[in-house]
Amino acid sequence: MDPIKTEIVVLGAGPGGYAAAFYAADLGKKVLLIEQDKKLGGVCLNRGCIPSKALLYATGMLVQAKEGAHRGISFGEPKVELDKLRAWKNSIVEKLSGGVAFLAKKRGIQVLTGRGYFEGSQTLRVETAEGQQFVNFEKAIVAVGSSAALPKAFDLGNPRVMTSTEALEVEEIPEDLLVIGGGYIGMELGTVYSNLGSKVTVVEFMDTILAGADPDLARPVLKYAEKHFKELRFKTKVTQMSTKGKKIRVVTQGPDKVDKEEFFDRVLVSVGRVPRCQDLGLENTKVEQDEKGFIKVNDKQETADPAIMAIGDIAGGVLLAHKASKEARVAVETIVGENSTTSGVIIPAVVFTDPEVAWAGLTEAEAKAKNITVEVAKFPWGASGRALTYDRTDGLTKLIICPETERILGVGIVGHGAGELIAEAVVAIEMGATARDLAESVHPHPTLSETLMEAAEVFYGHPTHTMPTKKREE
Ligand code: NAD
């Protein structure tokens, strides 16, 4: 096979890689997109964000149905058909993945299925089903992502020990599920399995779930989990794990330092993700990596090799799909000569638990750690008409405000639909909005978005639906 010559090669077709390929093609570049999986879309689309949100939505209905009798509406015992649930989830994934392939084709992007390996700074060798294919390129964008960490001690070679990939296949509803790690994945998938009826136990190293979120935002999620999960244990580690017949034998040790032996039907390991940097041939380039293997980049997504850029999870930082997509834009703009940067860009975070937690910009904990003087204005959802109509008053909206300029530096929301609400906060922070901008912008009633406006009114000492907590001179 003759080598393929291209202007831009993108390695990896997740939300970073395909976004980069599409944008580069739209700007008139000749683009080759290389992906080892037959399906485009990466972890997010095939084995991450999308399937997990489908499962959270579908299984959340079980809880709604079970807990709605006091509203005068009750159902019979719900029936879960796992095959149908899985097929429905897979149909969404298929549709989206097919859509990505369609859009790539329409843009004239050549897609090559195979595993890429850098032979040099401007040459890739790709192992395809048809054999080796060499690629010569002017610029490469590495977007190969990350995979779930599975520490050796937990890797029993037993399919009952799952990472998120296997857990999303919902092969069965285990009676007893152990979740190791109370972060994004542990809490989201713990919720899916608890919704389905599993008795879920979470063990977490630290003294809280969702370590990146401010404690007041994590609290309603913790409350929900305490009610619906079997147990959450903090400052606890797993010291031994082995196969015992059809069960997994697990020994944990909590703050009391006493070993506790238990047996679980399945275990979900959700202790973080690792960069997919093995067998990439990076040693044949000038690309530099940090001690964990993430590729070092500057604010333009350039690596130490002038021909190679890196974006998304492989470039470190927060491992979020929308961060990858933003970095894709910056990388492509840099290649075409625009002065683009990721510096100062606000990357929101959303945890799709019940209730959802979302934040953007400065958190209260960060402000404290960095000694930044801020004022925090909170609006509790118990005072929101819309929250009451959803029967979900377990929410809070808070603004983190610079007392001098009144600019909004950060926003944190916990509550039903927080993941949708945070977008307004991102725009406000990006545009340098002040609390007054939010307070004086008319928000539709009755909506949860009013909680942002009312939190701003709390800052000025004159909220409508709650009592002022302070007097303020204006
Ligand atoms: P995480 O970093 O969110 O949480 C891992 C948790 O495991 C931490 O709280 C950590 O203290 C704990 N832990 C680590 N080792 C442990 C051990 N041996 N025993 C007990 N606890 C241990 O990681 P994750 O949940 O695996 O998710 C990985 C990444 O995927 C996240 O960083 C996130 O960026 C991304 N993700 C995002 C979303 C979303 O945007 N909604 C959803 C899922 C995953």
Side-chain angles (χ1 to χ4, degrees), residues 8 103 123 125 168 237 252 259 273 353 378 410 471:
I8 296 180
L103 291 172
T123 310
R125 169 166 51 83
L168 286 167
K237 59 180 179 189
T252 57
D259 279 350
R273 300 184 65 84
T353 39
K378 298 186 185 188
K471 273 254 171 296

Side-chain angles (χ1 to χ4, degrees), residues 180-181 183-185 188 204-206 270-273 319-320 350:
I180 308 178
Y184 280 71
I185 294 179
E188 287 186 9
E204 165 59 53
F205 252 170
M206 318 260 268
S270 48
V271 296
R273 300 184 65 84
L319 310 182
L320 299 172
V350 181

Side-chain angles (χ1 to χ4, degrees), residues 49 52-53 151 154 180-188 203-206 208-211 236-238 269-273 318-322 349-352:
C49 321
S52 61
K53 265 77 264 180
F154 303 153
I180 308 178
Y184 280 71
I185 294 179
M187 293 310 293
E188 287 186 9
V203 295
E204 165 59 53
F205 252 170
M206 318 260 268
T208 174
I209 54 164
L210 306 177
T236 300
K237 59 180 179 189
V238 172
V269 181
S270 48
V271 296
R273 300 184 65 84
V318 291
L319 310 182
L320 299 172
H322 45 277
V350 181
V351 195
F352 294 86

